[in-house]
Structures are given as C-alpha cells and as structure tokens.
Amino acid sequence: MFEQGEKLLIVHRRLFEKDTPRFFVGEVLVYEAGIVRVKGYTFVKDMFSGNMQKKSDLRTKVMSIISGTLIVYQLPVSALLDSMIFSLDQDGGLVLTDEGGFSMDVSESLYKHETHQ
C-alpha cells in the first residue's frame, strides 16, 4: 500500500465532541499489513491560543492505519515536512502548508463558520 519515502498526514479521529484535534505529518519508513512506521512531527491544539502547535522534536511512530481511529491522507512526495504549519485562512478554515507551495484545507466542515445548536 505505502512505499518507503511516501508522505502522510495522519489525523486522529475525534471520537467525542470535546476531543482536541491531533495531527501527525510524516514520511513512511516501513509499511506492512496495515501497520506503518512513520517519522515526522506531531501537531496539537494549544489550549490557550487555540492554534495548532508543532512539537519541536522529530518522532518515529508506529500506527495501525486500519484501526478505525485514524484518517490517513497521502501527501505529495515534494511536500516539505520540516516547514509544515497549520494556519487559518480568511474564511476561518484550517489549512496545512509548507514553504514549497503545498497547501491542503483540512477543515472539518464545508461551511467555515457553521454553528451547531
């Protein structure tokens, strides 16, 4: 399924309304039978600012991508993992970008300012 060197955005599925968003951007080291070892960066939502913050240390993680708790997106091989950041666009949508021109809208809704009652 995945080859060494491919790049992935792995999103931890939010199971409850108050779960905080967690993302991992990394490069595939090994893939076998639904288990992937990836090296990259973890992003978590800062509870004070509300912004997505990149943890400074490079991590290697082993994840089951068939577990049902992860959403996996394949990124272009040209994506620059070291410069990846999350930011808000003018409509309030969450966007993943790098210094090389890569951009991906990862908003949870088509309607940026959707309200739930």
Side-chain angles (χ1 to χ4, degrees), residues 35 56 58 100 102:
I35 307 294
S56 61
L58 190 64
F102 168 77

Side-chain angles (χ1 to χ4, degrees), residues 5 10 18-19 21 29 31 34 37 45-46 50 53 57 63 66 80 87 92 95-97 101 114-116:
I10 301 171
K18 294 189 180 191
D19 285 352
L29 300 174
Y31 173 83
R37 184 174 353 148
K45 188 172 186 175
D46 181 279
Q53 298 294 318
D57 54 329
M63 300 178 170
I66 59 172
L80 305 172
S87 58
V95 179
L96 176 66
T97 59
E114 180 179 279
T115 58
H116 298 282

